[in-house]
């Protein structure tokens, strides 16, 4: 009889690193990437218990990883756009990829 290894792919593991914090529970992630947009963006939504405990500055480094059986892959790297709890919804952090850094760049000469 052959010994087959079964991998359960129903519930991926998610880890979010935001500034000095790392989260593996109590979060929901939303990640968007499209050719028509000049940047990729993501959101992390938190359960209410985190609200009084998270202090985050704009442009804090963010990393989201997903995977199965302890093997995680980077699916988003970027920076916080606003401080925690200043997004569309309460208990949320909005992030953009490194193209966000170009938004604040002033071009003086294009020759």
């Amino acid at each position: 009889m052959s010994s087959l290894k079964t991998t359960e792919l129903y519930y991926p593991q998610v880890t979010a690193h935001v500034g000095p914090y790392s989260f593996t529970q109590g979060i929901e992630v939303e990640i968007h990437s499209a050719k028509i947009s000049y940047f990729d963006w993501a959101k992390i939504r938190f359960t209410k218990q985190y609200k009084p405990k998270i202090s985050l500055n704009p442009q804090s480094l963010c990393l989201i990883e997903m995977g199965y059986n302890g093997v995680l892959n980077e699916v988003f790297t970027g920076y916080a756009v606003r401080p925690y709890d200043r997004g569309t919804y309460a208990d949320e952090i909005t992030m953009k990829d490194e193209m966000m850094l170009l938004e604040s760049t002033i071009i003086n000469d294009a020759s």
Side-chain angles (χ1 to χ4, degrees):
M1 181 166 246
S2 169
S3 65
L4 297 174
K5 187 174 183 178
T6 303
T7 302
E8 203 171 300
L9 301 177
Y10 296 109
Y11 301 104
Q13 295 170 304
V14 177
T15 300
H17 306 280
V18 182
Y21 306 103
S22 290
F23 302 95
T24 58
Q25 319 176 28
I27 60 171
E28 172 187 318
V29 297
E30 180 179 345
I31 303 168
H32 293 268
S33 179
K35 287 183 180 182
I36 60 172
S37 177
Y38 67 92
F39 62 85
D40 296 340
W41 62 274
K43 291 183 180 185
I44 301 173
R45 291 186 187 101
F46 298 90
T47 55
K48 300 277 185 215
Q49 76 249 20
Y50 288 118
K51 186 170 180 124
K53 299 177 182 168
I54 298 174
S55 176
L56 186 67
N57 296 319
Q59 295 192 350
S60 293
L61 186 60
C62 303
L63 168 68
I64 299 173
E65 299 174 301
M66 294 179 133
Y68 297 93
N69 293 329
V71 178
L72 301 175
N73 297 301
E74 285 184 17
V75 293
F76 181 85
T77 303
Y79 300 91
V81 176
R82 296 175 197 87
Y84 170 68
D85 207 16
R86 299 272 203 260
T88 307
Y89 301 97
D91 303 318
E92 175 180 278
I93 294 172
T94 303
M95 301 160 285
K96 290 183 181 178
D97 68 4
E98 62 189 14
M99 291 299 288
M100 179 181 107
L101 302 175
L102 291 176
E103 288 180 331
S104 60
T105 301
I106 298 171
I107 299 174
N108 294 323
D109 187 4
S111 58

